[in-house]
Amino acid sequence: MTAVEFIEPLSHDEGVKNATDLFRATYGEEPAGVWAAPGRVNLIGEHTDYNAGLCLPIALPHRTFIALKPREDTKVRVVSDVDSENVTEADLDGLQAGGVEGWATYPVGVAWALREAGFDAVQGFDAAFSSCVPLGSGLSSSAAMTCSTALALDDVYGLGYGASDAGRVTLINAAIKSENDMAGASTGGLDQNASMRCTFGHALRLDCRPELSPLENVSQQEFDLDKYGLELLVLDTQAPHQLNDGQYAQRRATCEKAAEILGVANLRVVADSIAKSDDPFQALKETLDKLEDDTMKKRVRHVITEIARVNSFVRAFANGKIDEAGRLFNASHDSLAADYEVTVPELDIAVDVARANGAYGARMTGGGFGGSIIALVDKARGTRSHRRLLTASKRKVSTHLAPCRRSLRLPRAARLIAEADAKTRVGARP
Ligand code: ADP
Ligand code: MG
């Protein structure tokens, strides 16, 4: 029997206690409060955010907790329970993009980005993080960290953006800028919007067109797995990330170049006009015929079909057409594998095994090049199919590939999002 390590979410009380204890042990005083933000799973709509497309994330019950105390000066000290012996220090005064190293870039970058945006009230801080979001698994531990930091700074420095959905967009922008400019990790906004704007029992249909206002760019779609007797399994393949940054930037550049050749601001414009045409297949073919480069054609085909799949998935799920929803998961993965070329053998094999073991559909989630897969399965057979999936994955991959050892079970998780959301909206003070 394969040993399966389930990653249980930290409860609110555990998270608050862990972060507070680490803060006390590190700095010898009390934090001003504890705040939290969740990781996320993107159901469908991958590599579409930076193409002004559509995505459909749900928040995980797994959250990153930050105990924080503001300082009178511009110094920042941060510690995390992944390496609790080491405190990283930085100074916001005169800090330039790229001026911090290691994981501390993420929280320091948020304070830097807020100050760059003109929030001069933001000064230094001491912070301690405790998290149960798996790191580097495509479940957005980085956004959980930047968003929890942004919520904490917003609260202690009285910026007033954390309490409303529209206000949070200001904090999301700081979190995005931290990742893009300070950490040098390209991100299109999906992760940060998911972490800050998902609500209980819903998937967030995020429309990334830049011209939309915060009130227009999200809608909450009911996502109740229990209603259909379903489970969503999340498996972290633990495959090492390969060339992630360079490859991501390349994909992004190819999409931007394609939009330029097609004479549009972004690929969403093309996706919308194809979706509205009488014969979308023919319209897609005509669009691709305008591009000479075969690789570019494949990338564009993924983006356009993936944007359409988000709407199709929302409709299928709302109407209880689970077979169709599963087929869309499969089509998304196959497109990411063949056309966008961001999967690795570990992801493809895990997806194959899930499909062969009774999943309605399975796909990689997150940016790819390693990370996690999700599989939609019947709850009644959940435990059995889960075990078979993990056993089979292990057997199949153990000879030359990393085993799928860690997984999250999401029906329980979906229920717990209520708790995550309620607590993260206001910040949770001990
Ligand atoms: P993902 O966001 O999918 O988990 P990323 O590569 O974007 O993957 O972000 C992972 C990185 O974020 C880690 O390598 C680390 O630098 C940083 N990070 C996230 N959470 C924590 C944490 N709790 N403690 C320390 N570093 C963290
Ligand atoms: Mg990330």
Side-chain angles (χ1 to χ4, degrees), residues 315 343-344:
R315 265 196 309 274
T343 69
V344 289

Side-chain angles (χ1 to χ4, degrees), residues 157-176:
Y157 285 114
L159 307 186
Y161 292 101
S164 73
D165 182 64
R168 284 180 172 213
V169 173
T170 300
L171 304 181
I172 287 167
N173 289 338
I176 294 172

Side-chain angles (χ1 to χ4, degrees), residues 104-424:
T105 49
Y106 292 96
V108 174
V110 173
W112 167 80
L114 287 169
R115 284 160 65 94
E116 290 281 303
F119 296 110
D120 299 333
V122 175
Q123 296 289 303
F125 59 92
D126 293 333
F129 290 93
S130 179
S131 180
C132 57
V133 184
L135 267 59
S137 301
L139 303 176
S140 267
S141 69
S142 59
M145 177 167 256
T146 52
C147 292
S148 58
T149 307
L151 285 170
L153 293 176
D154 174 76
D155 202 355
V156 296
Y157 285 114
L159 307 186
Y161 292 101
S164 73
D165 182 64
R168 284 180 172 213
V169 173
T170 300
L171 304 181
I172 287 167
N173 289 338
I176 294 172
K177 190 172 168 66
S178 169
E179 290 215 31
N180 277 338
D181 298 346
M182 189 56 78
S186 260
T187 168
L190 155 65
D191 305 349
Q192 299 76 11
N193 273 282
S195 185
M196 293 259 213
R197 304 181 77 187
C198 283
T199 59
F200 174 61
H202 298 100
L204 186 81
R205 182 182 176 280
L206 176 66
D207 188 329
C208 301
R209 280 178 291 168
E211 65 271 23
L212 297 185
S213 76
L215 292 177
E216 295 167 326
N217 72 356
V218 297
S219 65
Q220 304 286 345
Q221 304 291 330
E222 190 186 72
F223 187 69
D224 185 352
L225 291 162
D226 274 346
K227 183 168 150 187
Y228 301 124
L230 295 170
E231 256 188 344
L232 188 71
L233 304 178
V234 183
L235 275 102
D236 175 6
T237 65
Q238 295 192 310
H241 276 242
Q242 297 164 8
L243 305 169
N244 187 8
D245 291 347
Q247 293 284 344
Y248 182 96
Q250 256 182 36
R251 298 295 182 286
R252 217 172 153 145
T254 303
C255 291
E256 280 161 18
K257 183 80 193 150
E260 198 185 310
I261 294 170
L262 296 169
V264 290
N266 51 57
L267 293 181
R268 172 64 180 280
V269 178
V270 188
D272 281 353
S273 83
I274 289 175
K276 278 191 214 117
S277 68
D278 292 337
D279 184 349
F281 289 103
Q282 180 60 22
L284 175 59
K285 184 181 176 305
E286 282 166 18
T287 299
L288 298 180
D289 284 345
K290 291 181 194 153
L291 304 169
E292 280 175 12
D293 183 77
D294 283 341
T295 302
M296 187 179 278
K297 283 181 204 262
K298 292 204 291 183
R299 305 295 188 251
V300 170
R301 184 165 53 200
H302 167 72
V303 172
I304 289 172
T305 56
E306 184 76 354
I307 290 171
R309 278 187 289 271
V310 174
N311 283 331
S312 302
F313 182 90
V314 167
R315 265 196 309 274
F317 202 85
N319 294 322
K321 295 185 175 166
I322 306 306
D323 285 330
E324 173 65 7
R327 272 195 295 276
L328 289 158
F329 265 20
N330 290 342
S332 169
H333 183 86
D334 296 346
S335 173
L336 287 156
D339 277 352
Y340 222 61
E341 297 181 281
V342 294
T343 69
V344 289
E346 288 90 333
L347 289 168
D348 293 332
I349 289 172
V351 160
D352 282 351
V353 172
R355 292 175 186 173
N357 285 278
Y360 288 96
R363 59 178 294 272
M364 57 153 271
T365 186
F369 304 108
S372 302
I373 70 143
I374 52 175
L376 196 56
V377 300
D378 270 331
K379 195 175 181 180
R381 40 186 304 178
T383 308
R384 203 183 52 196
S385 67
H386 194 190
R387 196 171 297 127
R388 279 168 68 190
L389 168 56
L390 287 158
T391 308
S393 297
K394 169 97 172 173
R395 204 179 293 136
K396 211 164 172 186
V397 299
S398 61
T399 45
H400 38 242
L401 297 166
C404 298
R405 280 193 289 120
R406 304 191 302 182
S407 70
L408 316 179
R409 236 190 311 228
L410 274 202
R412 206 178 138 219
R415 279 201 291 279
L416 283 166
I417 291 169
E419 188 199 351
D421 187 60
K423 297 295 182 342
T424 54

Side-chain angles (χ1 to χ4, degrees), residues 27 29 71 75-79 87-90 125-128:
Y27 307 115
E29 50 182 352
R71 296 176 60 99
K75 215 165 131 181
V76 177
R77 295 188 294 177
V78 285
V79 67
V87 179
T88 304
E89 297 194 10
F125 59 92
D126 293 333

